[in-house]
Amino acid sequence: MKNEKRVQMHTELYNRNVRIFEKEHRGTCTKCNKKIADGETIHLGYDKQYELAYVCDNCSKNLATIIVRHLYKKELYIKPNNKAKLWRFMDLAKYISLIQSKSLFFARADTFEDPFECAKGYKNLEYKWNACYAGFCWGAITSLENLPDIKKTYSEKEALTEANRLLKQLKDLSRKERQNTFICCWHENEFESEAMWKLYSNNSSQGVAIQTTYERLYMALDKDPDIDIGKINYIDFENHLCGVNGSFWYKRKSFEHEKEVRAVVKLFPKKELVQSVMKPINLDVLIENIYVSPTSPKWFRDLVIDINIKYGVEKEVFHSTLDKEPFY
């Protein structure tokens, strides 16, 4: 009965506003400010003043109505600071698409150039991943014998067959995850990056960058609770394998210069796979500053200004500071 209570949910009360509140306070009790540890029970609901609360076990007595109760699991990514500067470098065509559609482009994970997008690790180390999760599946199968409602006893051969079936299912789901995960990439940096200008604008003399912050991006997406925004964790795949979930928050150390922050959304198309999705964005909230590339001529900045006027973007356009002349 205790475990049943820990996963209960009143779905009719679990609306968008409640989900936003849960996401914004995740990991910290709103009553005592205690940090929630992995495996602890959290309680989300309304207190006796009918205000939303996200609380630990000790503070759960303050709740008059419980909406969700479950075991807490730490996020797989680190959220940037609210004022962390984020940059998106692009060519003129992509910039026009952004302001014309008032939408952010999210690419499907398996369409990225990097073949390691959502990878668990190097192919030659796959046997280690298989061994780890085969053992996990074996443990899950054999533990069923101890559950009073199931009363199922597996022979060693049956348990092995079932464990291998579950392992295959895990791997199939992992591959499908690449088709259901959509990503919008940003560069976190206090300043401009010459490398990013060269990498992400097809013609470096006609590149455009928008600068925002984490807080602005979150607000511009209307606090969409289905979108996660977090930092990439750069790892050495020789010594690290990704788990079943969240491998899209990891990249190889060789990409560390990108300082990537990504917005991630999962969608499950009912019919045909889609290459990308567009998420509505409030441009006025999103854009803090606009820059044109350091090698761009004056006419290009003037063109961007004219395009902004046409689409009602009332933001100043700066020439990149990287073009400033030195003295010796």
Side-chain angles (χ1 to χ4, degrees):
M1 180 63 72
K2 188 176 181 181
N3 286 336
E4 289 176 4
K5 287 183 178 178
R6 289 191 171 190
V7 296
Q8 73 179 50
M9 178 187 293
H10 291 293
T11 53
E12 69 276 9
L13 296 178
Y14 195 58
N15 57 38
R16 186 179 189 275
N17 288 338
V18 171
R19 292 176 62 209
I20 291 172
F21 181 89
E22 179 184 27
K23 196 161 190 173
E24 291 183 346
H25 296 88
R26 196 174 190 279
T28 304
C29 176
T30 59
K31 292 296 182 183
C32 69
N33 291 321
K34 171 191 171 182
K35 294 295 182 183
I36 311 295
D38 268 11
E40 282 192 64
T41 305
I42 65 96
H43 312 259
L44 173 66
Y46 291 98
D47 63 18
K48 294 167 185 177
Q49 288 73 46
Y50 210 71
E51 293 181 349
L52 279 169
Y54 177 99
V55 298
C56 62
D57 258 340
N58 290 338
C59 295
S60 62
K61 60 183 178 293
N62 295 302
L63 295 185
T65 303
I66 294 176
I67 301 172
V68 178
R69 179 191 279 126
H70 60 75
L71 299 181
Y72 174 75
K73 182 66 178 175
K74 186 180 178 182
E75 291 283 19
L76 296 166
Y77 60 88
I78 297 173
K79 188 180 81 171
N81 294 327
N82 280 346
K83 302 303 179 184
K85 285 188 177 181
L86 304 181
W87 302 76
R88 189 160 171 85
F89 297 84
M90 64 199 87
D91 57 32
L92 182 61
K94 289 179 180 177
Y95 177 70
I96 293 174
S97 175
L98 167 69
I99 63 174
Q100 183 183 49
S101 66
K102 296 181 181 178
S103 299
L104 272 183
F105 177 85
F106 285 69
R108 201 176 73 202
D110 64 347
T111 64
F112 280 58
E113 288 186 9
D114 181 9
F116 278 79
E117 192 62 61
C118 298
K120 306 302 184 194
Y122 291 137
K123 181 68 176 176
N124 65 313
L125 299 177
E126 185 178 11
Y127 72 94
K128 290 186 176 182
W129 196 95
N130 290 347
C132 174
Y133 284 99
F136 172 82
C137 293
W138 172 275
I141 292 300
T142 54
S143 67
L144 293 176
E145 299 176 7
N146 301 318
L147 297 180
D149 295 336
I150 294 182
K151 298 179 181 178
K152 168 70 175 175
T153 301
Y154 289 90
S155 68
E156 185 173 335
K157 183 178 180 181
E158 287 174 331
L160 181 61
T161 299
E162 186 65 8
N164 286 331
R165 185 190 69 79
L166 288 178
L167 177 63
K168 181 181 182 303
Q169 192 174 60
L170 281 178
K171 299 185 78 171
D172 289 342
L173 288 172
S174 178
R175 283 187 283 269
K176 287 179 181 178
E177 186 177 40
R178 299 183 73 225
Q179 300 177 335
N180 299 330
T181 302
F182 297 82
I183 301 168
C184 179
C185 304
W186 297 78
H187 170 70
E188 182 182 2
N189 204 329
E190 186 66 23
F191 306 99
E192 286 181 71
S193 167
E194 184 178 25
M196 294 300 107
W197 278 120
K198 292 178 179 178
L199 277 172
Y200 292 101
S201 54
N202 292 334
N203 183 337
S204 60
S205 66
Q206 296 182 22
V208 181
I210 59 172
Q211 179 262 307
T212 188
T213 63
Y214 165 81
E215 185 176 42
R216 279 178 170 269
L217 176 59
Y218 174 64
M219 297 298 290
L221 285 165
D222 196 26
K223 300 184 178 183
D224 190 333
D226 291 323
I227 299 176
D228 293 315
I229 305 172
K231 297 182 179 185
I232 283 292
N233 187 5
Y234 297 95
I235 59 174
D236 175 12
F237 275 176
E238 290 286 0
N239 300 297
H240 187 111
L241 295 173
C242 295
V244 173
N245 300 312
S247 54
F248 41 82
W249 294 111
Y250 294 88
K251 292 182 80 169
R252 289 172 290 171
K253 279 281 188 181
S254 53
F255 288 84
E256 203 163 12
H257 62 281
E258 292 183 348
K259 298 180 181 178
E260 185 179 337
V261 168
R262 53 178 44 177
V264 176
V265 63
K266 289 191 176 183
L267 297 175
F268 301 92
K270 294 181 179 178
K271 295 181 180 180
E272 295 181 4
L273 291 176
V274 294
Q275 295 290 308
S276 61
V277 295
M278 304 293 284
K279 285 290 183 179
I281 197 87
N282 185 322
L283 291 175
D284 190 54
V285 174
L286 175 71
I287 300 174
E288 187 165 26
N289 293 302
I290 302 171
Y291 293 84
V292 293
S293 63
T295 56
S296 64
K298 181 181 179 301
W299 65 261
F300 182 73
R301 175 175 175 271
D302 293 340
L303 176 63
V304 173
I305 292 172
D306 289 342
I307 291 170
N308 284 352
I309 293 171
K310 177 180 178 180
Y311 290 104
V313 178
E314 298 179 357
K315 300 288 181 177
E316 188 171 356
V317 179
F318 298 95
H319 205 280
S320 169
T321 58
L322 297 177
D323 75 324
K324 290 186 179 296
E325 188 177 352
F327 75 91
Y328 307 97

